[in-house]
């Protein structure tokens, strides 16, 4: 009975969510074909007035930001030597790698001529933040791939190269943390160049630091969330003894970030635009309340931190607030100066959602077939109705 | 300092000869449009009873050139900010960053490039003036060395103080531009951006980017130091635990 159950669950059984992911992936392919045969104008609501939309605001800014759990946790384990967090490092590195792959695929669609993406390697312009971003994407994706490689290598019995990577882990992690620090902040630096366009509720000379610190907060939120989602999907227990201290880290990161944002708004004399309660003011209030005030307030109580429901709820709010912040910087805050309103087209949304679904499907596949979580590949059948 | 253009809104009659000449010179398809597009690099817009030309300002420190990751946009010593379409990968950061909102994109093409005025860089090399300045019969757009144009603009403002707003648009905007404008109506009413910083926006990102080498060195040493200290602490704790278990030999 037991043996047959294991065998049964090992076999690939497409469930409802696999089906949904498949449909979304097909829709994504269709949009890709139209985009490359008819041009960007045929699939997006982008225009000369609004040249960057959802694919930059969500796919790029959030894809990179939410991968921040990887460098945070590798630093905690390998640099601060807090080895008790080791069991949740692999899933965060996998999330980071998938996040960066997601960013690269999105970039291949968003760039006007993606077949020239390698031009950043041969034509240098060190004055360009985008040049820094391009190099960080290339190098950090490589670092994440190498950090994750032992999982794949061990699975197929290549133990010697896996041991070599393991011995080089400290310089590798330091390189990863440095690249992440540069990359997370550089996404904020991108917007330093538009002082006359970005709304004062978001513009600040400190934008690079805002982006970096908020990515650490939301990255930790993502670690909690993915632990929860894999718990639901694979009937695993939630590692509360690890997640509770992580939530404390999230409070500190988001707390510092919240204070810095307040300071920046004060310097811009922009508190008035919150009180006016206009479009930007309302969007800011939602972003800041959901993404900073609530998670910090709730997670300051040990009783709530130790309760899986409150913990996961707060992590979700932090991630949601983070996504809202990046969309507000890249879209809401830029609309007034552009003189137009931007709403992503259905096809833009299909690409973003299709890529997220594909990423989740790949994550689930990896968890079933490789030892991502402690105790080897997860054999259990997926939950019939997971919440996400 | 290079060459430039001076546009005098009080002289422009809105005939559109400049826009047509530009289309012809740069072999741009389609009719002249009311706003700038990838296929209309300059256009004349009626505003407040005047006519105002829209075109690339050719900044002294161009924001577009500073943000381009592949250096497809560059400022030439002659004055023009030129575009090398063969390098461009289409990230559109130039469009995002330009304080004057000038670069436009070919949204309708599967292999798109950016379109913007290049101040007839090819003609300038041959010693000729721009096509638009040559086409202007009213001397509303005049071509010349930038310092001569500034002199000319100052002279006009001084000689007819009542007919002009006392400001040369482009002298300080975004750090100064090779294309300048004078007008009898405040420039914001003509649809030109007036709340621009006097220092080039490129300086704001360069302040961050130029610190990267220092940052990498310090951050790298700090991170390794943290690893060193915590690892050593772990070793000491481990050894002490071992020692207290066995006999104390010291």
């Amino acid at each position: 009975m037991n043996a047959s159950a294991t065998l049964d669950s090992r076999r690939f059984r497409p469930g409802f969510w696999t089906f949904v992911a498949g449909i979304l992936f097909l829709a994504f392919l269709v949009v890709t074909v139209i985009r490359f045969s008819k041009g960007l104008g045929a699939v997006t609501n982008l225009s000369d007035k609004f040249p960057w939309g959802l694919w930059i605001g969500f796919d790029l800014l959030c894809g990179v930001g939410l991968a921040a759990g990887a460098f945070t946790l590798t630093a905690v384990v390998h640099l601060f030597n807090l080895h008790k967090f080791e069991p949740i490092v692999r899933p965060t590195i996998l999330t980071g790698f998938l996040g960066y792959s997601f960013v690269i695929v999105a970039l291949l669609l968003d760039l006007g001529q993606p077949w020239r993406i390698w031009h950043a390697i041969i034509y240098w312009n060190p004055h360009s933040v985008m040049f820094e971003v391009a190099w960080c994407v290339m190098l950090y994706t490589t670092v994440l791939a190498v950090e994750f490689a032992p999982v794949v290598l061990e699975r197929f019995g290549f133990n010697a190269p896996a041991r070599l990577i393991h011995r080089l882990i400290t310089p590798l992690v330091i390189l990863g943390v440095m690249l992440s620090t540069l990359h997370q902040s550089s996404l904020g630096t991108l917007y330093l160049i538009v002082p006359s366009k970005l709304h004062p509720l978001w513009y600040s000379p400190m934008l690079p630091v805002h982006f970096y610190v908020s990515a650490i907060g939301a990255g930790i939120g993502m670690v909690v969330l993915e632990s929860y989602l894999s718990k639901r999907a694979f009937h695993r227990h939630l590692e509360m003894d690890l997640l509770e201290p992580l939530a404390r880290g999230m409070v500190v990161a988001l707390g510092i970030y919240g204070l810095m944002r307040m300071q920046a708004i004060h310097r811009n004399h922009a508190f008035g635009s919150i009180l006016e309660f206009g479009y930007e003011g309302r969007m800011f209030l939602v972003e800041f309340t959901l993404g900073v005030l609530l998670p910090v307030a709730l997670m300051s109580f040990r009783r709530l931190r130790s309760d899986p429901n409150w913990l996961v709820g707060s992590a979700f709010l932090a991630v949601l607030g983070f996504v809202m912040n990046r969309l507000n910087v890249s879209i809401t805050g830029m609309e007034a100066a552009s003189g137009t309103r931007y709403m992503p087209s259905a096809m833009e949304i299909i690409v973003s959602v299709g890529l997220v679904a594909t990423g989740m499907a790949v994550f689930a596949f990896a968890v079933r077939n490789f030892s991502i979580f402690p105790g080897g590949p997860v054999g259990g059948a997926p939950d019939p109705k997971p919440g996400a | 300092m290079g060459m430039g253009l001076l546009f005098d809104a009080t002289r422009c009659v809105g005939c559109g000869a400049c826009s047509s000449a530009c289309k012809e010179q740069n072999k741009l398809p389609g009719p002249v449009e009311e706003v700038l597009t990838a296929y209309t690099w300059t256009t004349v817009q009626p505003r407040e009873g005047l006519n105002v030309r829209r075109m690339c300002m050719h900044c002294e420190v161009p924001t577009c050139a500073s943000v381009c990751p592949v250096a497809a946009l560059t400022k030439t010593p002659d004055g023009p900010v030129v575009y090398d379409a063969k390098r461009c990968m289409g990230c559109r950061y130039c469009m995002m960053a330009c304080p004057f909102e000038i670069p436009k994109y070919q949204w309708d093409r599967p292999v798109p490039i950016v379109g913007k005025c290049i101040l007839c860089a090819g003609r300038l090399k041959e010693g000729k003036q721009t096509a638009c300045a040559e086409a202007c019969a009213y001397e509303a757009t005049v071509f010349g060395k930038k310092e001569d144009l500034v002199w000319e603009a100052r002279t006009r403002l001084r000689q007819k103080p009542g007919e002009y707003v006392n400001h040369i648009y482009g002298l300080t905007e975004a750090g100064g531009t090779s294309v300048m404008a004078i007008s009898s109506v405040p420039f914001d009413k003509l649809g030109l951006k007036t709340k621009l910083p006097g220092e080039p926006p490129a300086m704001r990102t360069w302040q961050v980017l130029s610190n990267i080498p220092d940052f990498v060195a310090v951050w790298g040493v700090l991170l390794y130091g943290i690893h060193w200290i915590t690892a050593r602490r772990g070793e000491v704790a481990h050894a002490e635990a071992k020692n207290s278990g066995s006999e104390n030999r010291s």
Side-chain angles (χ1 to χ4, degrees):
Chain A
M1 162 81 202
N2 208 347
S4 74
T6 323
L7 273 178
D8 192 40
S9 60
R10 278 284 175 117
R11 209 185 308 138
F12 181 65
R13 286 186 315 177
F16 175 68
W17 290 104
T18 320
F19 187 68
V20 171
I23 297 270
L24 284 170
F25 183 69
L26 283 180
F28 161 79
L29 287 182
V30 171
V31 176
T32 306
V33 171
I34 304 174
R35 181 251 169 276
F36 282 108
S37 52
K38 296 258 168 70
L40 279 164
V43 292
T44 68
N45 280 347
L46 298 174
S47 64
D48 282 334
K49 284 187 168 177
F50 217 87
W52 283 3
L54 185 71
W55 292 347
I56 298 292
F58 179 74
D59 301 31
L60 178 77
L61 298 186
C62 298
V64 169
L66 297 177
F71 90 81
T72 310
L73 266 188
T74 49
V76 165
V77 170
H78 295 287
L79 300 184
F80 288 89
N81 283 298
L82 298 170
H83 287 284
K84 70 167 177 172
F85 291 102
E86 197 137 19
I88 47 174
V89 164
R90 278 185 172 184
T92 54
I93 293 178
L94 177 60
T95 315
F97 181 67
L98 289 177
Y100 269 69
S101 311
F102 169 71
V103 168
I104 291 172
V105 176
L107 268 181
L108 290 178
L109 279 159
D110 188 76
L111 287 176
Q113 299 198 40
W115 46 88
R116 288 179 174 172
I117 197 166
W118 55 276
H119 278 191
I121 303 173
I122 56 164
Y123 301 120
W124 284 33
N125 179 14
H127 283 258
S128 166
V129 186
M130 191 61 83
F131 175 77
E132 185 197 349
V133 169
W135 274 93
C136 286
V137 171
M138 285 189 283
L139 294 176
Y140 191 51
T141 310
T142 312
V143 168
L144 281 167
V146 175
E147 282 177 350
F148 188 69
V151 179
V152 183
L153 292 169
E154 280 165 13
R155 172 76 169 74
F156 297 106
F158 300 109
N159 287 321
R163 270 201 303 277
L164 179 70
I165 293 174
H166 200 72
R167 249 192 289 157
L168 294 174
I169 196 71
T170 304
L172 201 59
V173 167
I174 289 177
L175 185 63
V177 174
M178 284 202 295
L179 287 169
S180 291
T181 311
L182 289 175
H183 193 195
Q184 299 292 351
S185 61
S186 68
L187 295 181
T189 319
L190 278 180
Y191 289 87
L192 280 189
I193 203 100
V194 288
S196 57
K197 294 184 183 176
L198 182 57
H199 194 277
L201 278 174
W202 290 282
Y203 187 84
S204 157
M206 295 294 279
L207 260 175
V209 188
H210 291 177
F211 267 53
Y212 179 61
V213 180
S214 61
I216 294 178
I220 296 176
M222 271 300 277
V223 175
V224 175
L225 263 195
E226 77 208 24
S227 296
Y228 168 74
L229 288 177
S230 20
K231 178 208 99 154
R232 288 206 59 159
F234 306 111
H235 302 295
R236 300 180 58 259
H237 71 283
L238 212 52
E239 301 95 338
M240 285 308 291
D241 54 324
L242 300 182
L243 300 184
E244 190 270 334
L246 277 185
R248 271 184 277 164
M250 188 172 85
V251 168
V252 173
L254 289 181
I256 293 173
Y257 167 69
L259 286 174
M260 294 181 75
R261 286 294 303 280
M262 288 290 110
Q263 194 185 25
I265 292 170
H266 174 67
R267 281 192 175 188
N268 287 349
H269 309 290
F271 278 115
S273 48
I274 306 176
L275 297 175
E276 278 168 26
F277 211 59
Y279 174 56
E280 285 90 0
R282 284 195 304 258
M283 294 299 271
F284 169 80
L285 277 181
V286 177
E287 168 206 323
F288 203 71
T289 311
L290 291 185
V292 180
L293 296 182
L294 270 178
V296 169
L298 294 174
M299 289 297 96
S300 298
F301 295 100
R302 171 179 277 279
R303 198 167 53 82
L304 299 183
R305 276 202 308 274
S306 312
D307 182 325
N309 292 326
W310 285 99
L311 176 73
V312 171
S314 303
F316 176 73
L317 284 179
V319 170
L320 184 72
F322 173 87
V323 172
M324 283 199 66
N325 171 258
R326 295 312 193 251
L327 292 177
N328 280 342
V329 169
S330 61
I331 296 173
T332 315
M334 298 290 289
E335 281 184 309
S338 76
T340 183
R341 281 261 183 267
Y342 164 83
M343 266 301 283
S345 71
M347 286 195 266
E348 282 177 272
I349 295 171
I350 284 174
V351 165
S352 297
V353 175
L355 281 175
V356 171
T358 311
M360 289 171 89
V362 174
F363 188 88
F365 169 83
V367 168
R368 283 203 197 91
N369 292 283
F370 298 95
S371 56
I372 309 289
F373 287 107
V378 178
D383 195 300
K385 42 181 195 310
Chain B
M1 206 172 213
M3 313 304 280
L5 293 176
L6 174 64
F7 173 73
D8 189 334
T10 64
R11 298 189 181 192
C12 181
V13 297
C15 67
C18 48
S19 319
S20 307
C22 175
K23 281 258 174 188
E24 198 175 325
Q25 169 68 32
N26 297 296
K27 298 185 183 64
L28 300 171
V32 174
E33 291 152 286
E34 284 172 20
V35 293
L36 294 184
T37 69
Y39 312 107
T40 298
W41 293 355
T42 183
T43 190
V44 182
Q45 296 172 340
R47 289 275 191 289
E48 302 280 321
L50 292 180
N51 296 292
V52 60
R53 264 191 83 189
R54 306 304 310 272
M55 62 180 291
C56 175
M57 301 295 289
H58 297 277
C59 304
E60 296 296 350
V61 183
T63 314
C64 59
S66 102
V67 300
C68 180
V70 292
L73 290 153
T74 41
K75 176 84 175 172
T76 60
D78 286 349
V81 176
V82 294
Y83 171 65
D84 181 356
K86 284 200 253 352
R87 285 190 175 201
C88 177
M89 59 165 97
C91 72
R92 311 189 295 283
Y93 194 18
C94 51
M95 306 177 66
M96 270 287 297
C98 174
F100 302 100
E101 298 172 11
I102 296 302
K104 304 296 177 192
Y105 210 54
Q106 296 177 339
W107 299 101
D108 54 338
R109 297 202 178 171
V111 184
I113 58 171
V114 167
K116 80 162 196 67
C117 161
I118 52 167
L119 206 64
C120 291
R123 289 174 62 102
L124 261 62
K125 276 227 172 71
E126 297 167 16
K128 290 194 261 182
Q129 58 175 334
T130 63
C132 56
E134 194 178 77
C136 186
Y138 303 88
E139 290 192 326
T141 297
V142 289
F143 174 83
K145 275 191 189 155
K146 189 182 166 185
E147 52 254 54
D148 296 347
L149 294 175
V150 173
W151 186 259
E152 172 64 26
R154 287 210 170 113
T155 309
R156 288 188 202 175
L157 297 194
R158 195 176 56 241
Q159 284 175 347
K160 297 177 183 173
E163 284 185 27
Y164 290 102
V165 175
N166 190 20
H167 180 66
I168 303 172
Y169 187 85
L171 207 54
T172 56
E173 275 75 12
T177 58
S178 295
V179 175
M180 292 163 294
I182 49 177
S183 158
S184 57
V185 167
F187 294 97
D188 54 334
K189 296 215 169 108
L190 296 179
L192 298 173
K193 307 279 170 195
T194 49
K195 288 177 193 149
L196 298 176
E199 103 177 328
M203 294 305 160
R204 298 185 182 228
T205 42
W206 182 238
Q207 274 169 1
V208 176
L209 288 170
S210 58
N211 283 317
I212 287 179
D214 288 350
F215 168 81
V216 166
V218 172
W219 199 225
V221 171
L222 182 74
L223 289 173
Y224 188 76
I226 290 171
H227 166 78
W228 192 41
I229 292 169
T230 56
R232 175 74 189 147
R233 194 182 287 161
E235 277 169 25
V236 169
H238 190 69
E240 275 175 356
K242 226 179 189 177
N243 274 355
S244 62
S246 64
E247 259 181 290
N248 198 335
R249 277 175 290 171
S250 72

